[in-house]
Amino acid sequence: MYRPKVLVIGSGGVGTISALSLSHNFKSEVTLVVRSDYDLIMEKGYSIVSCTYGELIGWKPSHLAPSVNDAMEKFGPFDYILVTTKNVPDGPVTCEEIIAPAISTGKEVIILLQNGIDIEKPMLEKFPGHLILSGVSHIGSTYYHGHVENKGMEIVFLGDFQKPSSNPESRLKIEEFISIYHNPGFNKVQVDEDVQKTRWEKLMYNSVFNTISALVDLDVNSIQINNANDELIRPAMQEIMNIARSVGVECDPTFVEKFIHIGDGLFYSPSMCVDMRKKQLMEVEVILGNPIRIAKEQNVYTPILSVVYSLLKMVQFRLKQDRKMFTINQDDFRGNSDHYPYIFENKYKNIK
């Protein structure tokens, strides 16, 4: 019996649990791309403590690969490409460039199980004619040096971001993928007829708590101790709802209080804050940059989010400098400081 081949790109807390979920019922052949810790995982496998799958020592999927090129050469071609890696379009390489080596037949279904808004458009432009599915994951899962701590049941919403879908195969492929991903009692995976609304509603949390915690280097509850709920969090979430409304999406207003209290007492640091502490590039543009750009196009007033975005871009700038993605030549910036952004854009235009 033929089993669909699935390539999972991104081996952090979300990607590893995705690979585990796909492997659990033996309905698919799973290849997981592991880049930085490939030698470690190849030798010892993952240690996983999961609220649903239990404690696993030395776990591996069907195949491991150090790169997409290697995965394609040894185990491809693939029916599904599940992208769970962080989406950093202003980083050294885009998600479209990362998955490109796995595109060969023209029939691959690309599934974006990532944060952010408008992440599907660049993928569709790069791979026209491909079916691009959009997924939203709710899961508490973190990865560090071969160990995965999964504290929350995985809930995945999967749909076609185009309404109505321009691809007649869309619903069939969504249902097929759910059939190989879903493990009753272990995770919840469901068709989402309005996945963009689900994305906007998740953004109400990510674009506010994720960004502010990364900016001030504090966990969520420590932010709230400092009266942020009334002064920043609630009004910033309202700004996201206003942006969404400007493009025809009505977010559920009850999500404001749900997200404000979802982490009560946990002193939890969101992923963007963790990335900042690790000096890793953050998902600034897809989580906050894209909504701000939409707000400007639609003339939506965003006083809080605009300031947070401007400051967070500076933090990202510092991270890029630390990673030696560029080195500032101070002689380039001797004139009027109002011109500095244009000088940087022109002289350093090849730097992301």
Side-chain angles (χ1 to χ4, degrees):
M1 179 179 174
Y2 177 76
R3 296 189 299 164
K5 288 186 176 183
V6 183
L7 177 66
V8 181
I9 303 175
S11 55
V14 174
T16 303
I17 296 299
S18 292
L20 174 58
S21 295
L22 285 161
S23 302
H24 185 74
N25 56 24
F26 303 103
K27 290 183 178 180
S28 60
E29 181 182 324
V30 182
T31 299
L32 177 62
V33 175
V34 183
R35 289 178 285 183
S36 58
D37 286 340
Y38 175 76
D39 291 337
L40 171 67
I41 303 304
M42 196 66 184
E43 179 185 353
K44 296 183 177 180
Y46 288 94
S47 65
I48 299 174
V49 177
S50 169
C51 63
T52 51
Y53 293 102
E55 186 172 351
L56 304 173
I57 304 296
W59 179 83
K60 299 177 187 177
S62 302
H63 309 295
L64 294 171
S67 68
V68 176
N69 276 311
D70 188 77
M72 187 63 182
E73 180 180 338
K74 294 180 179 177
F75 310 114
F78 300 98
D79 300 290
Y80 293 94
I81 300 172
L82 180 64
V83 187
T84 64
T85 190
K86 290 187 183 299
N87 196 328
V88 186
D90 58 321
V93 60
T94 66
C95 288
E96 298 80 59
E97 293 167 331
I98 290 173
I99 76 165
I103 303 298
S104 65
T105 67
K107 297 181 180 180
E108 299 89 354
V109 177
I110 302 168
I111 304 172
L112 305 180
L113 197 63
Q114 300 171 293
N115 290 323
I117 285 293
D118 276 355
I119 64 173
E120 304 90 351
K121 293 178 181 178
M123 197 67 69
L124 191 59
E125 290 173 4
K126 179 71 173 180
F127 306 110
H130 276 75
L131 177 58
I132 313 292
L133 300 181
S134 191
V136 177
S137 173
H138 292 276
I139 184 174
S141 185
T142 56
Y143 170 84
Y144 179 74
H145 200 55
H147 178 71
V148 175
E149 189 83 17
N150 171 214
K151 294 183 178 181
M153 175 182 278
E154 179 187 30
I155 303 174
V156 174
F157 301 87
L158 185 64
D160 193 324
F161 76 103
Q162 299 183 95
K163 293 194 315 176
S165 174
S166 60
N167 192 321
E169 290 186 277
S170 176
R171 186 59 180 245
L172 292 175
K173 290 297 183 181
I174 291 171
E175 291 177 350
E176 180 184 57
F177 188 77
I178 288 176
S179 73
I180 63 177
Y181 198 112
H182 183 212
N183 299 304
F186 293 85
N187 64 7
K188 297 179 182 178
V189 191
Q190 61 192 63
V191 177
D192 191 335
E193 303 291 355
D194 195 353
V195 72
Q196 283 305 304
K197 178 183 178 183
T198 305
R199 279 198 172 278
W200 278 104
E201 289 175 339
K202 186 177 181 182
L203 197 71
M204 290 169 61
Y205 182 95
N206 283 340
S207 68
V208 178
F209 277 120
N210 246 311
T211 58
I212 294 173
S213 67
L215 192 58
V216 299
D217 193 9
L218 287 173
D219 60 74
V220 168
N221 290 163
S222 294
I223 291 170
Q224 293 171 316
I225 286 171
N226 287 279
N227 202 35
N229 281 351
D230 287 333
E231 294 180 352
L232 291 173
I233 305 301
R234 287 188 176 92
M237 287 187 179
Q238 184 61 55
E239 289 178 16
I240 287 293
M241 289 194 291
N242 292 344
I243 301 170
R245 185 176 299 114
S246 75
V247 291
V249 177
E250 286 291 338
C251 295
D252 185 343
T254 65
F255 275 57
V256 172
E257 296 307 311
K258 173 184 175 180
F259 286 147
I260 282 176
H261 297 292
I262 197 170
D264 285 356
L266 296 180
F267 288 85
Y268 170 74
S269 297
S271 60
M272 189 177 284
C273 182
V274 173
D275 286 338
M276 182 275 301
R277 290 170 178 169
K278 291 181 178 179
K279 296 188 179 298
Q280 295 177 346
L281 298 184
M282 303 174 291
E283 296 180 295
V284 177
E285 295 304 325
V286 296
I287 286 179
L288 194 51
N290 286 349
I292 291 296
R293 282 182 279 276
I294 294 171
K296 289 181 178 179
E297 292 171 1
Q298 301 294 326
N299 294 315
V300 178
Y301 186 49
T302 56
I304 293 175
L305 292 179
S306 292
V307 170
V308 172
Y309 176 51
S310 182
L311 294 174
L312 204 56
K313 283 196 297 182
M314 297 180 202
V315 177
Q316 186 89 319
F317 181 91
R318 187 191 71 226
L319 293 173
K320 291 177 182 180
Q321 282 186 308
D322 291 343
R323 296 170 71 90
K324 301 189 186 306
M325 291 176 63
F326 60 83
T327 301
I328 292 292
N329 180 356
Q330 294 185 8
D331 289 337
D332 291 334
F333 299 89
R334 296 300 186 190
N336 188 332
S337 60
D338 287 336
H339 299 154
Y340 286 4
Y342 307 101
I343 294 171
F344 183 82
E345 182 179 350
N346 290 327
K347 287 185 176 290
Y348 300 80
K349 61 184 177 181
N350 294 324
I351 303 298
K352 291 186 177 181

